[in-house]
Amino acid sequence: MKKDRKMYEEISREIGVDLNKSMTVLELACGTGQLSFLISKSVKFLEATDFSENMIHTAQRKPSPDNLRFSVQDATDLQFQPEIFDCVVIANALHIMPFPEKALSEIHRVLKPGGFLFAPTFVSQKGENGYLSTKMLNLLGFHTFHSWDDKSLTAFVAQNGFEPVDARMIHTGFLPLCCLKAKKQTEIFN
């Protein structure tokens, strides 16, 4: 993961344009905090979470600013009150979740009205290279349950309570990354 620093810096730049020091942000699937430490510089408070206790323990061993807290959470069953976060970030995780729609439902629940979701996600390219990239991820131990391109990822998020605002492609090496930004839909979501 250390070798991916440039990718996380690029994601932070993309997301950082929309963040400010008045925002309370939730990060899901933070791993050991590569993106968390970068995002925390731009917000009032960041709650960085991961399902893995080992990842969180590793992140907590690093010196952290006062506005960054790490905790163990299941993205599909968050232990937060409704509508308390201005923004939720979930980077490189939706495609490795068996039921990402459950995570999107929980994200929708904890986001304030008008809040934003940032979901930078590895996407497949059409053709043989896209298939090989996904197969390589699986061989490296990153089991993918879903393989989207940028359009199908955007459509999936739109079907689950969000209005896509932007979907920029970043080519950071092995796989292309779609930096998806979406706004919580104001209508009732079920």
Side-chain angles (χ1 to χ4, degrees):
M1 289 184 170
K2 289 180 183 178
K3 66 183 169 78
D4 293 330
R5 181 159 178 81
K6 287 183 181 181
M7 176 187 63
Y8 288 109
E9 288 172 349
E10 183 65 26
I11 291 170
S12 177
R13 279 191 290 278
E14 285 289 325
I15 295 171
V17 172
D18 294 292
L19 301 178
N20 64 62
K21 288 286 190 180
S22 70
M23 297 176 90
T24 300
V25 177
L26 173 64
E27 181 185 7
L28 301 173
C30 71
T32 59
Q34 293 87 350
L35 186 57
S36 313
F37 290 99
L38 297 170
I39 293 173
S40 69
K41 297 174 185 177
S42 303
V43 300
K44 179 180 179 181
F45 180 75
L46 174 63
E47 179 80 28
T49 70
D50 199 280
F51 185 74
S52 167
E53 289 183 30
N54 289 336
M55 292 285 194
I56 293 300
H57 290 311
T58 300
Q60 289 173 327
R61 283 190 221 122
K62 301 173 187 176
S64 298
D66 291 339
N67 70 330
L68 173 58
R69 180 175 61 198
F70 290 98
S71 65
V72 176
Q73 292 277 334
D74 178 348
T76 66
D77 186 24
L78 296 171
Q79 303 303 303
F80 298 109
Q81 295 296 315
E83 300 184 347
I84 61 168
F85 293 102
D86 298 297
C87 172
V88 176
V89 176
I90 182 166
N92 302 327
L94 289 174
H95 61 292
I96 62 172
M97 294 179 160
F99 303 104
E101 62 279 359
K102 289 182 180 180
L104 289 175
S105 177
E106 281 292 277
I107 291 167
H108 194 279
R109 184 183 66 77
V110 300
L111 267 177
K112 292 178 181 176
F116 283 94
L117 162 66
F118 290 96
T121 304
F122 287 124
V123 293
S124 296
Q125 297 172 325
K126 296 200 188 289
E128 188 175 321
N129 286 342
Y131 169 76
L132 289 176
S133 297
T134 302
K135 188 168 183 139
M136 284 296 290
L137 275 178
N138 287 323
L139 289 173
L140 292 170
F142 297 98
H143 183 72
T144 55
F145 288 93
H146 306 279
S147 182
W148 295 297
D149 61 17
D150 57 331
K151 289 180 180 30
S152 58
L153 172 65
T154 302
F156 177 75
V157 169
Q159 292 165 358
N160 284 278
F162 295 89
E163 177 186 340
V165 175
D166 194 13
R168 292 193 183 136
M169 294 299 295
I170 299 175
H171 296 276
T172 58
F174 184 62
L175 282 175
L177 187 78
C178 178
C179 265
L180 178 64
K181 174 185 174 184
K183 187 174 181 179
K184 178 179 178 176
Q185 288 181 355
T186 55
E187 60 201 42
I188 295 175
F189 170 65
N190 290 319

